[in-house]
Each structure stands twice: as structure tokens, then as C-alpha cells.
Amino acid sequence: MDKVSGEGKRVSRVFSWRHLLLLSLTLNLGLLTWFVYDRGVHSGQKPQQQFCFDNKINTMCVASEQKVHVSSSSSSNSGFGAADGGNKVINLDHGDPTMYEEYWRRVGEKSTIVIRGWESMSYFSDVENLCWFLEPELAKQIIRLHGLVGNAVTHDRHIVVGTGSNQLFQAVLYALSSSPPPPHPPHHHPISVVSAIPYYSSYPLVTDYMKSGLYKWDGDAYAFTKDDPYIELVTSPNNPDGFIRQTVVNRSGGTVVYDLVYYWPQYTPITSLADHDLMLFTVSKSTGHAGTRIGWALVKDKEVARKMTEFIVLNTIGVSKDSQLRAAKILQVVSDSSEHMDYSEESESFFFYAYHQMTERWERLRDAIRCSGLFSVPEFLPQSCNFIGGFTEPHPAFAWLKCEGNIADCESFLREHKIITRSGKHFGVEAKYIRISMLDRDEIFNLFMERLSNISL
């Protein structure tokens, strides 16, 4: 009994000392916390920064503060520029269409699909189709959407699906140069690929990337005078300047590819059904889903469609079914919203939303340019839009901005103001021009407008 009692006393003493030690540490930590907080407040520093004792933790703290700052900026656009202090770099070099996120958040579950683990496992989608990896539902929704918008003929056309329009572009070059469609004669040397300036900046890079012996980039279509076969690329509306384009070379011995990825109502009036032998489209610019990586070609000639399919099979053994099914669902939602479209503020039409977003942004851009007096952008004439049912002006996805006066390098000039753009030299013209994306999120666009309005020499 005494032994048990003695053990109990020892345990009690140990227990008490442990508690005293814990209490002491707690009190000291509390005093230290109060001291650091009080010192931070009176020195004008943010208290949370005082606890960043090394570079790694300090980086985490700064990143956390920036994240909170961006979140608060999203909910209050009017104070974004002031809070930013002019330190944020705005990257408008690329055309990432995040502007459309707000609409798709609003749509919610209507655009959601579920793909179960045992579904879409096979390489094959439709073995009876020339493009055998094309999902039938995607083909159905492509035809439906073009029919509703009225921007392209789908009758008597083969649909070839690709991983974005870039893969389709490469497939087109392969198909047209390896076996040109009748009545073009065979050729035994690299075929020239041309496009009128200012041309899409990726055309030269993508054309020459594979160093193919079948085709080669040959520059500006206006300057092409060779009496040889050629492929002319016509982007309409044009990237970067937004104008409607027609062929330039306009003689026999050539094949024309129409890149129509921006021929949608939010960017330009839909004046007629595009009816060309080879037309390219993509969900990236039509609905904003760039990450889905789905594009499609409407091809009249069966042999060209077969060769394009052959290229994609050799390149990637088809196209992701998951992406195709998601794209099909997205196109279905867009078509559903457009079938009974109205122009009230409560309208759920995707094209209504996108059209008004682009209209407002272009109005603000023109106001900002007038404020600065240092820049200019193209002027567009209103045209009757068959889809909207009235006269509208083009509102391109990119602004083709020119620095006026003595500013020779517009890209470098704006970079000094922490605005990243793409120089005109990448589009075959002088450096006084730059291309600016109009498709970024609201907070970025708002900050860009503020910066542009306040720039002065």
C-alpha cells in the first residue's frame, strides 16, 4: 500500500511539473505574440509578415496576400488599380478566353457531363465514318450550331475533328501538299504556304516546325509572284486586325484554306453562310473552352478529308473522346440558349452575353485610347447581321493597336508600363503595331483600361 502511495505521489509530482512547464510556455508564447503584433502595428508593417522567418515562408506569405488581394479585387473592380499600385504585370499577349468563365458559372450544372470509368474506352467512335474517331454526338451538335448561327454550310461536307485548330492546320498542309485535289497537278517540291499581312503570327512557326519537304512558309500573299502551286491561308475575321478577308493571290494552281475560328456573332456580323471547300473552326474562340482542345474542319473533298484523318491518326491516333463529349455538351447548351433567343437583360443566350461583353469592352477601349491620345485602332463599318437581326459593328477578339507619333516599338513602350503584348513584327508588319487580347477576365481588363487611359509621354 505504501509503495502504491509513493508511486502515486511521484506521478502527481511529474504530472504537476509537466503542467507547470506547459503553462509557462503558453504564457511566454502569448507575450511574444503580443510583442511582435504590437511592434508590427506601430511600425506600420503587416503583422503576418513578422512571422515569415525565412525566405521560403516569406514567399508563402506574399503569395497568400496576393491571392487574397486578387480575390477582393474580383468582387470590387473599381478599386483594383489603386490597390494594385501599378505593380501588377498584365499579360495580354495570348488569347486565353477566360472572359467567358462568368457565363459558364451562371449556367452551372446544365453544362456538366459525367463520364464513367468504363465508358469511352475504345479507340473507335464510328467505324462507318471516314473520320472514325469523331464522336457522333459532337458531329450532330456541330451541324446544329452552324445551322442556328447561319455562319457555315455543313451540307455535303465531311467533318474532321482535331486537337484544336493547330493540329487541323497541320493536317490540312499534309493533305493538300501530299496529294493535291483535282484539278491541281501533282508537284514534286515543297509547296509554298502564304497569307496576306498582317497574318496570324503562328502560321510561319507551325508551317516550318516539322521542316517538311512537302511544304514551306513563303510569307506575304501580296508579295507571292512565283508561278508554282501554293496554299493560301485566309483568316476571316482576321487575326490580328479583325477585318473580313478574301483571297489575295487569286490565280490558278493554288488551294485556299479558310480559317473561320472568329466567324461568330460576338466578334463580327454574320452576313452570309460561308461556303468554301475547306473551313476551320474551334470551341476555343466560339465558346471559350480553350482547354478542351477541340477544333473541327468542314471539308468538301473526300480525299482531302481522308488525308487529314490519316495525319491525325499518325500524329495522335485520334482525338480524346472525353474532350469531344464535353465539347458536344457545351455546343448543345449554346444551341439550346440560342433557339429561342431574346435580347432582354434576363436572356440566357450565350451569344447575347458574349456579344454585349465584347461591345462594352470595345467601347471602353476606344474611350481609353481617346484619353491617352497616343494610340489608334481600326475603324469598322456596321453591317447587317443575319443572326442578331440588325446592323452591328465588328468587335474582334484582339485589338490591333498602333502607337502614334515617335513611338517606334509599341511592344517595348507598353512593356515599360507593365503591359505585355505581341509585336507587329510577328505578324509580318512594323513594330509600331501590337496585338492585344480582349478576352481576359474582368479584373485584368479593368486594370488594363486604367493603365492605358493614364499613359503619357
Side-chain angles (χ1 to χ4, degrees):
M1 187 70 179
D2 291 339
K3 184 178 181 180
V4 172
S5 177
E7 291 293 335
K9 290 178 180 179
R10 282 195 296 272
V11 171
S12 177
R13 285 196 298 271
V14 172
F15 184 78
S16 299
W17 279 110
R18 286 177 179 172
H19 274 74
L20 286 172
L21 180 59
L22 180 61
L23 179 61
S24 176
L25 288 172
T26 303
L27 289 171
N28 287 331
L29 181 61
L31 288 171
L32 177 62
T33 303
W34 176 85
F35 173 77
V36 172
Y37 178 85
D38 183 69
R39 182 183 176 189
V41 169
H42 287 90
S43 65
Q45 295 175 320
K46 295 181 180 180
Q48 62 266 39
Q49 289 180 328
Q50 298 290 329
F51 291 98
C52 300
F53 295 116
D54 57 46
N55 290 336
K56 182 177 180 181
I57 298 176
N58 186 60
T59 301
M60 293 171 62
C61 289
V62 173
S64 177
E65 288 178 2
Q66 288 175 344
K67 184 176 181 181
V68 171
H69 172 67
V70 170
S71 298
S72 63
S73 300
S74 300
S75 60
S76 179
N77 290 330
S78 60
F80 188 88
D84 170 75
N87 293 320
K88 185 180 181 66
V89 175
I90 310 171
N91 191 341
L92 300 176
D93 171 79
H94 47 268
D96 198 22
T98 49
M99 178 190 82
Y100 297 116
E101 283 179 355
E102 181 184 341
Y103 176 85
W104 292 108
R105 287 180 185 275
R106 188 189 306 169
V107 168
E109 294 302 311
K110 289 182 182 179
S111 59
T112 300
I113 64 168
V114 176
I115 302 175
R116 298 172 180 83
W118 63 86
E119 296 176 327
S120 302
M121 292 181 65
S122 172
Y123 285 112
F124 301 94
S125 296
D126 183 1
V127 294
E128 301 297 323
N129 195 342
L130 186 149
C131 184
W132 50 264
F133 47 83
L134 170 63
E135 283 292 303
E137 182 62 21
L138 178 58
K140 172 185 172 183
Q141 295 303 331
I142 287 172
I143 293 171
R144 180 189 178 201
L145 184 62
H146 282 304
L148 283 167
V149 175
N151 62 342
V153 172
T154 57
H155 176 68
D156 195 28
R157 296 295 194 279
H158 301 279
I159 300 176
V160 180
V161 66
T163 304
S165 59
N166 261 12
Q167 187 184 42
L168 288 169
F169 173 55
Q170 290 179 314
V172 166
L173 296 182
Y174 170 79
L176 296 179
S177 58
S178 60
S179 56
H184 307 297
H187 37 263
H188 306 287
H189 55 273
I191 188 169
S192 295
V193 180
V194 298
S195 186
I197 59 168
Y199 44 69
Y200 176 39
S201 58
S202 290
Y203 282 159
L205 300 173
V206 175
T207 302
D208 288 340
Y209 176 72
M210 298 300 293
K211 295 180 172 34
S212 173
L214 296 174
Y215 50 83
K216 65 175 182 179
W217 176 250
D218 217 344
D220 181 16
Y222 287 110
F224 183 71
T225 58
K226 298 178 182 177
D227 190 19
D228 292 323
Y230 66 92
I231 299 171
E232 183 177 356
L233 310 172
V234 177
T235 306
S236 186
N238 190 38
N239 175 0
D241 62 17
F243 287 106
I244 296 297
R245 287 286 192 90
Q246 303 295 333
T247 57
V248 169
V249 181
N250 198 24
R251 64 169 173 78
S252 61
T255 308
V256 182
V257 179
Y258 283 85
D259 185 342
L260 304 179
V261 298
Y262 299 101
Y263 193 45
W264 298 98
Q266 65 266 45
Y267 305 123
T268 193
I270 305 301
T271 57
S272 63
L273 278 166
D275 186 8
H276 307 293
D277 289 350
L278 219 166
M279 301 178 282
L280 304 181
F281 295 89
T282 176
V283 297
S284 172
K285 299 307 184 290
S286 56
T287 71
H289 291 83
T292 304
R293 306 308 307 129
I294 290 294
W296 65 93
L298 301 177
V299 187
K300 194 168 188 178
D301 186 271
K302 183 177 181 179
E303 181 60 19
V304 173
R306 188 190 68 78
K307 295 290 285 186
M308 288 178 67
T309 301
E310 177 184 288
F311 175 90
I312 294 170
V313 170
L314 292 171
N315 188 231
T316 53
I317 319 180
V319 176
S320 166
K321 286 188 177 184
D322 294 3
S323 291
Q324 289 189 66
L325 292 172
R326 186 187 187 210
K329 183 64 175 179
I330 293 298
L331 296 188
Q332 177 195 329
V333 172
V334 172
S335 293
D336 289 346
S337 74
S338 300
E339 276 188 324
H340 306 290
M341 185 175 62
D342 64 80
Y343 289 92
S344 66
E345 290 298 323
E346 293 77 28
S347 173
E348 294 185 355
S349 166
F350 170 77
F351 289 120
F352 172 89
Y353 169 85
Y355 169 78
H356 282 276
Q357 281 285 98
M358 294 304 299
T359 300
E360 179 187 3
R361 289 191 172 197
W362 269 91
E363 289 174 353
R364 293 180 60 192
L365 175 65
R366 293 187 187 280
D367 288 342
I369 286 174
R370 279 191 288 270
C371 287
S372 71
L374 298 175
F375 314 103
S376 62
V377 289
E379 296 291 337
F380 302 101
L381 295 176
Q383 290 181 289
S384 179
C385 179
N386 296 334
F387 179 78
I388 292 176
F391 278 82
T392 66
E393 291 183 11
H395 304 105
F398 296 100
W400 187 232
L401 188 143
K402 181 183 179 183
C403 281
E404 301 292 350
N406 296 324
I407 305 172
D409 189 339
C410 200
E411 180 189 27
S412 297
F413 176 72
L414 285 181
R415 189 178 289 270
E416 293 173 0
H417 297 273
K418 295 184 173 60
I419 302 172
I420 298 176
T421 62
R422 189 172 300 184
S423 173
K425 63 186 180 183
H426 299 296
F427 303 88
V429 299
E430 58 184 319
K432 287 183 73 72
Y433 290 90
I434 54 169
R435 192 195 72 171
I436 297 174
S437 170
M438 298 288 286
L439 302 178
D440 216 311
R441 294 180 178 91
D442 284 345
E443 60 266 27
I444 300 299
F445 187 79
N446 291 340
L447 182 55
F448 170 54
M449 289 296 96
E450 182 180 323
R451 290 250 182 101
L452 198 66
S453 300
N454 293 326
I455 290 176
S456 60
L457 291 175

